[in-house]
Structures are given as structure tokens and as C-alpha cells.
Amino acid sequence: MSELFKTVKSSQITISQLMLPSHTNFSGKIHGGYLLSLLDQIAFACASKFSGHYCVTASVDTVDFLNPIEVGELVTLKASVNYVGRSSMIIGIRVEAENIQTGKVKHCNSSYFTMVAKDDNGTNTEVPGLILSNEEEVRRFCNCIKMISLKKDRNQHEESFDYKSESALEQLKTYRIKLNAF
């Protein structure tokens, strides 16, 4: 069987939505949870379009809230596949909000979701390889390799870190905490 490859461009999805008062939090800004729902939707659409399969969210790797979004702004989410594994994909998402009266656009959020393709039985299934067509796509792919490595290091550290050891307890005393006897 010949291996299938697809371009990053073939994965790109853009959605726009007007922000309504019903989307706000108690401070009158667009609620982060609402934005997370939109992020998950576009990550699903992007991964499913690229892979040709139903996809599930394996992890939300990064969600950086950079600027608040106001009621009445037009929010545009742009997603693309930045990395592929065997059955997984890392989807990069950029969120911009436009004041539709002034035309001013601001970058509000950058996010990375790991999505996994599933077959009709719910088993992980192989995704196409990724064709990188320019330096920006290569940069994004390499950044994902770094993210994966950092995630693995963090997971190994959590498994092996002995938080009960004398040296760990001494190190904790350098932080602004109180340790009650336990």
C-alpha cells in the first residue's frame, strides 16, 4: 500500500462568529470556556478534514489567552495541522477578534490541540503524512517536536519526583508556602 501524504494547506479551516452578550463572563468579556468550546470544534473539523476520519481530542496542550474579546467583535479562528504522528495530529489554532466598526484586528489566543483519528470501531487509525511546503510549516512542525519532548520530560518527572524526600522538602521551603506537619 502506498503511503498517503497531504499538504498543510489541505487541512486549513477558518470559522468566524460574532460575539454576543450570551457569551460573556461576569466581567463582560467573552467567557474563556465559550472560546475553548469553539477551539475544540475547529480542532475537530481540521483534524477530521485532514485525516478523513472521526477524531477525538487527546489533549489540550496550550491555550494562551492574550487579549480579551469584547461583545460585538467578530472572532475568527484559523486552524491547521502542524504535526502528524501515526494516528495523532497537533492542530495549531490562532484566534483574532475584529472590531467590525473600526476594522481593528487583535490577536487574542493561540492554542494547540492533540487530536487522534479513529476508525468506525473506535480504534486509533493511521493519518496521512504531512507535506511541508515552506519555512513557516517546517518551523511549526519542529516546534511541535519540542512540545512533545517537553511533555514527555514533564510526565517522566512527575512519575519519578520524590516529593517526600528531605531535599525536595527543603526546596519547597524556598517558595511562599507553609508546610504543616504531615
Side-chain angles (χ1 to χ4, degrees), residues 6 10 26 45 54 57-58 60 66 79 89 91 96 100 107 112 116-117 119 126 128 133 138 141 150 155-156 165:
K6 289 186 176 181
S10 73
F26 293 111
Y54 177 78
T57 305
V60 178
L66 306 171
M89 298 153 280
I91 311 301
E96 296 175 338
I100 56 176
H107 180 197
Y112 297 92
V116 176
D119 65 16
E126 195 167 325
S133 302
V138 171
F141 188 88
L150 290 171
N155 289 343
Q156 287 176 344
S165 72

Side-chain angles (χ1 to χ4, degrees), residues 1 3 12 14 30 62 74 97 101 151 155 160 169 175:
M1 176 174 131
E3 192 169 357
Q12 293 174 339
T14 300
I30 300 307
T62 305
L74 183 65
Q101 293 171 327
K151 193 175 182 182
N155 289 343
S160 64
L169 292 173
Y175 294 93

